Amino acid sequence: MSERYDPSEIEPRWQALWERERTWEVTNEPEGDKYYVLEMLPYPSGEPHMGHLKVYSIGDAVAHYRRRTGHHVLHPMGYDAFGLPAENHAINTGEHPRISTDRSIAAFQTAFRRWGISIDWSREFGTHEPRYYRWTQWIFLKLFEHGLAYRKEAAVNWCPNDATVLANEQVIDGRCERCGTPVEVRQLEQWFFRITDYADRLLEDLETIEWPAHVKTMQRNWIGRSEGAEVVFRCEQPGIDYPVFTTRPDTLFGATFFVMAPEHPDVFRLAAGTEHEEEVHRYVNHALNESADVRSDTDRRKTGVPLGRTVVNPVNGEAIPMFVSDYVLMEYGTGALMAVPAHDERDYDFAQAFGLEIRRVIDRGGENDDLPHTGDGVLVNSGEFDGLPSEAAKREIVRWLETRGAGHASVNYRLRDWLLSRQRYWGCPIPIVYCDECGIQPVPESELPVVLPDVKDYAPQGRSPLAAAEAWVNTTCPSCGGAALRETDTMDTFVDSSWYFVRYCDALNDEAAWDPEAVRWWMPVDQYIGGIEHAILHLLYARFFMKALTDLGHLEVNEPFARLFTLGMITRDGAKMSKSRGNVISPMPIVDRYGADTARSYSLFIGPPDQDADWSDDGVEGVYRFLRRLWQIGADVAAEDSGFADVPAAPEGADLELLRKAHWAIAKVTNDMEDRFAFNTAIAAVMELVNSCYDARRAGADPGALRFAIGTAASLIFPFAPHCAADVYDRLFGDRVWEEPWPEADPAFLARDTFQLVCQVNGKVRDRLEADSGASQEELAALCRQAPNVRAHVDGREVVKEVVVPGKLVNLVVR
RNA sequence: GCCCGGGUGGCGGAACUGGAAGACGCAGUCGGUUUAAGCCCGACGACCCGCGAGGGUGUGUGGGUUCGAGUCCCACCCCGGGCACCA
């Protein structure tokens, strides 16, 4: 044994060949079957970590597998380069975000090459390049033209630490998802995308895509569609109609009071002149200053103040008292609600606190009739609707309201419009100017891109740092030519990543965002791979962008990601790796020590790729040993047998067993790759095959059979360990494994003429025998009865039943 | 509170459609190789009783269906995640 497995020599050699020959580049010529495999683009901050190694190892395995099953594979790469971390770094160090971002991008480029990821580098870009964000701005203008991007003043979430507004999706439990600071509510004029127009389609089209069920559920919950009715309550003095939304029109007769949000614009007007006027002012001012996490605390006792007015319940003409309370949200429904304390927990709590009437109108007809009862039942105390079950009553009462003009069926959503303005520097400029004469004016397309100017001070002071770039801010109105000011907010970085996968189809195009033909050919992404943390934000926004751009005639992409795979985290000692915990394992030292093939294979062998898995140094050693064993036996057999021996025509004994194992492995790995994504068991199957190769070699197996079996192992492991596999295959056959079609299992080798018959008595295994595959059920049963250890348990007892499972077992039931 | 996942050896995990529980890997024990350690090659390995043949127990807990349950059904416990004053 002269040579030894040396990944530091093997890996650069094959990488250089693939780079030189541009092996992984693809054209846009429609030809054969296409397959677009995409991992979520990295956010370039510092060095790549284990999560990156894992996600790109998965994506590369899929890309390689699809290429070798005859697909034309697009597998591109880019960088989500705008964002807060680079800007915060700039605030601390004064270094321009572009410099630190580009340095990080260089680290990713180096990593991807050293990992041997098969990327079409001709399509690479960063979202911070004007050549890219020019088209992000163009998309903004298209949405603006059609009213899908608009500006309005609203109560928005403000993070005092990051000094910027946040989208609803970026607020977790009342805190900034990035820095954890409690968010405040501010009344500001901001840019929004009208994603709520697409709520129903975003919901319905989930049916058409193959995504993990829990991701679909999260999106459904986020959109939060509720069906119900809008019901009008009239306030006699001052004579205003107040519509409310309810999902339970069947409980309308149980409404005993009426509550408005503190933000409701009519609250002060209603209270004016009543004895409660002062109290209402105090309460509202207090409520508006409360932080989001205090106000949304459900355990808190309900508070509120009477408005001193009443509204009339349209179904029974009753005048019920009005209140203002902070448990009512201005953003949902109409900012006012009818309270049915008998059948709603929140209303019940409020009624208890204020001694208000609780009137049962739904009877559950069972033993437990505690209030509040929030489920369905049969109507009582509801006039002509008494006796109807809830479902029927909802329909009947809505119909009754419609005929009297006092209400109608209605749908409400939890989803809000996407707030995209950010008062930060390192982002895509919004291509808008403000003119005193002409108002809001879009920058003409011919003037794109609006290039992000350099500034001296990146620190936000409640306004965008861009406001300080006076030469840039002061411009002329595209409409009247007069003096005008540029928009100084930048876009949320989720805008940049909502269309990058379309740009990959035609990344070098400077005439348009994309060529429709190229997009028609490649889209949708056949397999998208990324972290579960994007289940709502990115994946919902990208879907919205595709639908909107399709409606505007620029695309024909209803859903961008036909299939989605979400991967689990690699943890260390059961915890997420983080600098503060000091438990970070960086992929690069692993690659240095064992090679990229080992690092990649281990990241997949560690466990099911969609689950979290804990890093083990010893586990890496095991995968390294396996690849070394494969390479060693390959190199040894290739060196011993220079004659390129063929597979024996009529194999028997150890040769036959080995060939069977090889074909078994082909079938197993193919099945695991195809749609199960069971990479851990695929790798285990190749390990078994390699172990069998060693056994067979020791048993003096035929060189041709060995060559076939080892070559098969190399071919099957190629998607995970491409360098090692390419080297072994080259030594054995002098061929390029990536140009070989994916192997096919020969059924002749999968079938066996005998099998191990399991003999059970009363369900317990008592013996095992070699049986003929073609044996009849009677023959198998007879065989089982003769087994020595079966007889020991059956003799002297009565066999009451025989269960025969052909090819598997016989179970004798005795008494 | 509601909605999803998940509980299998010392550890990570495997088990496809109800049919041999523990593949594969790690750690461990033993043997070979070696001047020696390591590497490497091989063997053994759920637990309990037994020298052994063999027997018993065993997939979070309790019940059920079945010739047969890790897998299906009912109830419960624990862990992880999502949503949560959304009318």
Side-chain angles (χ1 to χ4, degrees):
Chain A
M1 168 196 318
S2 52
E3 288 186 279
R4 300 201 61 142
Y5 177 53
D6 179 9
S8 69
E9 183 277 326
I10 293 166
E11 294 183 356
R13 182 155 47 79
W14 291 100
Q15 285 163 12
L17 179 99
W18 295 328
E19 187 96 26
R20 191 167 64 241
E21 298 192 354
R22 301 168 178 249
T23 310
W24 316 119
E25 288 186 16
V26 282
T27 68
N28 283 349
E29 293 305 311
E31 175 195 331
D33 290 333
K34 71 96 182 177
Y35 200 87
Y36 186 176
V37 53
L38 183 66
E39 305 89 302
M40 291 180 185
L41 85 177
Y43 175 75
S45 172
E47 301 273 330
H49 55 67
M50 266 316 161
H52 293 114
L53 177 70
K54 182 170 173 177
V55 69
Y56 299 110
S57 295
I58 294 170
D60 211 36
V62 174
H64 277 314
Y65 175 73
R66 291 294 164 184
R67 285 188 191 104
R68 292 185 54 204
T69 52
H71 296 87
H72 206 58
V73 170
L74 175 58
H75 188 216
M77 185 60 69
Y79 311 93
D80 188 16
F82 279 132
L84 265 182
E87 184 166 350
N88 289 338
H89 172 80
I91 293 166
N92 292 333
T93 64
E95 182 177 55
H96 196 290
R98 190 179 297 114
I99 307 292
S100 58
T101 300
D102 285 345
R103 187 169 54 236
S104 178
I105 287 174
F108 276 84
Q109 290 167 327
T110 302
F112 292 141
R113 287 180 165 84
R114 288 206 49 205
W115 298 350
I117 309 291
S118 62
I119 293 162
D120 179 350
W121 288 107
S122 71
R123 298 166 187 262
E124 184 190 26
F125 59 79
T127 58
H128 65 320
E129 296 166 17
R131 192 181 182 186
Y132 177 82
Y133 71 64
R134 166 184 184 177
W135 302 112
T136 306
Q137 293 171 338
W138 176 81
I139 291 169
F140 177 93
L141 292 178
K142 291 296 151 197
L143 296 177
F144 176 75
E145 264 173 40
H146 292 86
L148 291 172
Y150 66 97
R151 198 168 160 80
K152 76 162 182 202
E153 185 179 300
V156 298
N157 303 301
W158 174 267
C159 173
N161 181 54
D162 289 337
T164 183
V165 296
L166 300 171
N168 237 14
E169 289 80 1
Q170 290 164 323
V171 180
I172 312 290
D173 294 332
R175 290 166 182 273
C176 171
E177 66 142 6
R178 193 161 281 288
C179 67
T181 309
V183 302
E184 297 167 358
V185 176
R186 288 204 180 179
Q187 202 70 23
L188 291 171
E189 199 176 293
Q190 299 285 311
W191 285 99
F192 292 85
F193 285 135
R194 211 176 288 281
I195 191 171
T196 51
D197 273 11
Y198 287 82
D200 272 329
R201 280 167 61 191
L202 289 167
L203 209 53
E204 286 161 14
D205 291 346
L206 286 172
E207 305 296 331
T208 69
I209 49 184
E210 282 183 68
W211 284 20
H214 65 284
V215 177
K216 289 188 182 184
T217 304
M218 285 166 74
Q219 294 219 344
R220 280 193 197 101
N221 287 346
W222 191 260
I223 295 165
R225 181 189 154 102
S226 295
E227 285 185 31
E230 204 162 276
V231 184
V232 179
F233 284 71
R234 184 163 184 86
C235 183
E236 298 291 359
Q237 2 83 322
I240 305 173
D241 284 341
Y242 287 110
V244 299
F245 175 74
T246 178
T247 54
R248 298 294 303 273
D250 53 320
T251 64
L252 201 40
F253 284 85
T256 54
F257 55 99
F258 187 96
V259 196
M260 291 179 125
E263 293 85 354
H264 198 289
D266 287 0
V267 165
F268 291 141
R269 178 148 62 116
L270 287 165
T274 74
E275 56 186 315
H276 301 287
E277 183 168 5
E278 223 177 292
E279 206 185 345
V280 167
H281 270 88
R282 259 195 315 235
Y283 182 80
V284 168
N285 287 333
H286 177 74
L288 295 184
N289 286 318
E290 243 168 1
S291 70
D293 56 337
V294 171
R295 181 161 166 190
S296 64
D297 180 3
T298 48
D299 296 336
R300 213 170 50 138
R301 193 184 141 86
K302 294 273 177 293
T303 60
V305 175
L307 285 169
R309 307 273 179 187
T310 59
V311 286
V312 174
N313 184 340
V315 289
N316 56 14
E318 275 182 16
I320 57 177
M322 299 178 85
F323 290 84
V324 56
S325 174
D326 64 3
Y327 83 91
V328 180
L329 307 173
M330 191 60 217
E331 314 88 78
Y332 189 77
T334 60
L337 58 83
M338 65 175 212
V340 184
H343 305 291
D344 181 281
E345 283 177 25
R346 299 150 299 181
D347 297 344
Y348 182 85
D349 291 346
F350 191 89
Q352 289 271 301
F354 287 80
L356 298 162
E357 187 195 348
I358 298 169
R359 185 192 305 160
R360 170 188 289 279
V361 290
I362 303 288
D363 190 86
R364 99 195 307 188
E367 52 300 338
N368 182 351
D369 59 352
D370 289 349
L371 290 178
H373 164 54
T374 56
D376 284 354
V378 175
L379 270 68
V380 292
N381 299 323
S382 297
E384 62 184 280
F385 302 101
D386 278 358
L388 282 176
S390 291
E391 276 314 308
K394 284 178 186 171
R395 285 193 303 273
E396 292 302 319
I397 291 177
V398 168
R399 192 172 303 153
W400 188 95
L401 290 167
E402 277 169 351
T403 59
R404 285 157 183 80
H408 53 86
S410 174
V411 175
N412 250 274
Y413 303 90
R414 214 186 76 104
L415 183 70
R416 312 263 194 274
D417 275 342
W418 172 10
L419 197 174
L420 68 118
S421 315
R422 294 292 178 279
Q423 290 72 48
R424 300 297 302 234
Y425 170 72
W426 189 232
C428 176
I430 296 172
I432 289 288
V433 299
Y434 300 95
C435 170
D436 280 344
E437 298 299 317
C438 315
I440 297 175
Q441 291 295 314
V443 172
E445 277 178 41
S446 59
E447 290 176 24
L448 297 183
V450 175
V451 177
L452 185 68
D454 286 343
V455 297
K456 288 192 187 69
D457 185 5
Y458 305 102
Q461 276 118 11
R463 59 171 198 169
S464 169
L466 279 179
E470 284 176 22
W472 178 84
V473 172
N474 289 296
T475 184
T476 52
C477 172
S479 182
C480 69
L485 298 173
R486 288 192 188 278
E487 168 66 62
T488 58
D489 285 354
T490 54
M491 295 187 210
D492 182 1
T493 54
F494 281 104
V495 181
D496 309 323
S497 57
S498 289
W499 73 282
Y500 75 102
F501 40 87
V502 179
R503 181 67 179 174
Y504 283 141
C505 300
D506 193 21
L508 305 180
N509 194 337
D510 288 320
E511 306 305 315
W514 52 74
D515 168 19
E517 287 301 317
V519 175
R520 191 172 297 132
W521 167 235
W522 287 118
M523 288 297 288
V525 173
D526 295 279
Q527 181 66 59
Y528 200 34
I529 303 157
I532 185 68
E533 66 274 17
H534 292 110
I536 296 171
L537 291 151
H538 165 59
L539 290 171
L540 193 65
Y541 294 152
R543 294 179 62 220
F544 158 61
F545 257 45
M546 293 304 103
K547 290 178 192 302
L549 289 166
T550 296
D551 282 357
L552 302 186
H554 299 292
L555 283 176
E556 298 163 56
V557 180
N558 198 39
E559 285 290 339
F561 314 121
R563 277 174 53 136
L564 173 70
F565 183 84
T566 54
L567 62 147
M569 252 189 320
I570 295 185
T571 57
R572 169 75 165 169
D573 304 324
K576 188 175 178 170
M577 292 186 194
S578 73
K579 279 182 205 142
S580 54
R581 276 197 193 85
N583 65 344
V584 175
I585 302 215
S586 173
M588 276 314 187
I590 304 293
V591 172
D592 289 341
R593 186 160 170 195
Y594 301 102
D597 286 335
T598 294
R600 293 174 53 164
S601 301
Y602 178 64
S603 76
L604 302 182
F605 183 67
I606 188 168
D610 57 335
Q611 287 171 30
D612 290 353
D614 209 53
W615 180 268
S616 153
D617 290 335
D618 292 328
V620 185
E621 290 274 358
V623 171
Y624 178 70
R625 276 201 280 271
F626 154 64
L627 290 175
R628 185 171 54 190
R629 273 161 67 81
L630 166 61
W631 187 90
Q632 196 67 57
I633 196 170
D636 290 351
V637 166
E640 282 164 21
D641 165 40
S642 51
F644 287 69
D646 286 332
V647 175
E652 49 185 33
D655 295 341
L656 182 58
E657 281 309 305
L658 181 61
L659 293 174
R660 279 180 173 154
K661 189 74 184 181
H663 285 279
W664 166 84
I666 292 169
K668 169 76 177 153
V669 174
T670 305
N671 182 46
D672 286 352
M673 297 294 291
E674 190 57 39
D675 45 27
R676 271 172 28 108
F677 276 34
F679 305 124
N680 53 332
T681 53
I683 292 169
V686 183
M687 286 175 169
E688 284 193 55
L689 175 55
V690 170
N691 290 343
S692 295
C693 290
Y694 273 80
D695 292 343
R697 186 163 141 86
R698 205 174 315 111
D702 177 87
L706 263 179
R707 183 185 290 271
F708 173 80
I710 301 165
T712 297
S715 182
L716 295 175
I717 207 68
F718 173 75
F720 311 104
H723 316 85
C724 176
D727 209 62
V728 170
Y729 205 85
D730 178 56
R731 282 166 186 269
L732 286 170
F733 300 105
D735 288 327
R736 297 172 157 194
V737 65
W738 65 88
E739 292 174 359
E740 299 285 318
W742 188 253
E744 274 185 55
D746 182 344
F749 284 100
L750 298 177
R752 315 190 118 253
D753 22 295
T754 63
F755 70 98
Q756 277 245 310
L757 177 70
V758 172
C759 304
Q760 296 181 335
V761 179
N762 285 346
K764 286 194 160 74
V765 179
R766 294 303 179 185
D767 220 329
R768 283 158 198 168
L769 313 165
E770 198 72 8
D772 207 352
S773 298
S776 69
Q777 299 207 5
E778 290 74 23
E779 287 166 331
L780 290 175
L783 208 56
C784 176
R785 282 167 182 271
Q786 285 160 21
N789 204 42
V790 168
R791 291 170 74 169
H793 286 87
V794 170
D795 281 354
R797 304 168 81 181
E798 185 195 355
V799 176
V800 295
K801 190 169 183 177
E802 275 177 7
V803 181
V804 182
V805 183
K808 284 229 165 72
L809 59 77
V810 174
N811 187 17
L812 303 177
V813 184
V814 302
R815 222 184 346 234

